[in-house]
Amino acid sequence: MTLRAQDPQPRRHPGRPRRRSGRPTGHSRDTSSDVRDASADVRDASAIGVTGMLLGLAPLLVLASVAGAITVGPSDLGVADVYGVVADRVGLGSSDLTLLQQSIVWDLRLPRTLLAGICGAGLAICGVILQSLLRNPLADPFVLGISSGASTGAVSIVVLGIGSGAIGLSTGAFVGALASFGLVLLLASLAGGTTDRLVLAGIAATQLFSALTSFIVFTAADAEQTRGVLFWLLGSLSSASWTDVLVCGVIVLGGLLCCVAGAGWLDAFAFGNDAAASLGVDVTRIRAVLLVLTALMTAVIVSTSGAIGFVGLVLPHLARALVGVGHRLLLPATALLGAIFLIWVDTAARTVIDPEELPVGVATALVGVPAFALVLMRARR
């Protein structure tokens, strides 16, 4: 009798896959992947919803800030009074306030508050552009010496009498801003072109142009002119006019629209010049255009409000934490936050030591220096 050897492997039904214990099947892998993808979609949709809500509320907060800031001060004014004055001036209603109160709202507080919002938005936009182009979280017009150069150019116009009017002042500030920033880029390039060298070059340029400004003031200005210029250099919106609001508003709005239109370029620059070039960006030309645009906005702002620091440094980081790093949303969000920030800082500056007035540049420095220290520590990590 012959015995057949038994097959050590158990028989399986033909075509039925064998499962291995302890390992998920292909179906379970697909299911878990679908769950992860669905969760990611939910998170993305939630983030988009939050971003949209923030961008939708921010303009309303700006309007509320303007109306609320105008009511702050020794005069007994309310939001309804402000609305009545504005409606009366544009022909949509009438106001029961006295002529003096109407003048306080329309000629003093409203243009000053609007100019504060425009300057805050412009400086914040400049900070976003510089931080993206230079890939440096510490870059802003004040730190990199652009504001100091613009101040030197503006003071040269005022004290030395070269040119006159708002156009001459803005032109002098623009030339000074370009000269200062050109010097910063040259020094940083000669020193190796690294991020820390750029900041050091900005500090050097700031000190140089601050010294030039002081030299011009103390050698060519009289006592009254010296006092006014030195107070203005610390940042002041006390002389705001509707002409300043119009000029700054047009320049800042135009700069914002140009930057939003070129948001893809700024996104590409965030990955470096080589990556931007590989994506088809004309690095040299686009970089030059954006830097000149930054210098122009800074010059116009400095010519009307003096040197106000740290707005362009602090607000872009806050906006990134709220809406992300995509510049199509980051730019308008930063502009709105900058407007709200400077409106209330200027309001505090003109009321906190009433009847005296604190230069708004001093107030922004008190807030900005601690924030600057935090950015430094984060950049080190």
Side-chain angles (χ1 to χ4, degrees), residues 298-375:
T298 303
V300 172
I301 292 170
V302 168
S303 67
T304 57
S305 64
I308 300 176
F310 296 102
V311 177
L313 172 63
V314 176
L315 275 303
H317 294 285
L318 177 60
R320 288 189 188 95
L322 294 175
V323 302
V325 298
H327 287 83
R328 195 169 300 278
L329 296 177
L330 177 63
L331 285 164
T334 306
L336 293 170
L337 288 175
I340 295 171
F341 173 77
L342 198 57
I343 284 172
W344 286 111
V345 168
D346 178 62
T347 301
R350 65 178 172 83
T351 57
V352 69
I353 57 172
D354 187 68
E356 299 296 328
E357 182 174 319
L358 184 69
V360 67
V362 174
T364 57
L366 291 175
V367 177
V369 169
F372 182 78
L374 292 176
V375 173

Side-chain angles (χ1 to χ4, degrees), residues 64 160 206 208 241 322 362 371-372:
L160 301 180
T206 298
L208 173 62
S241 66
L322 294 175
V362 174
F372 182 78

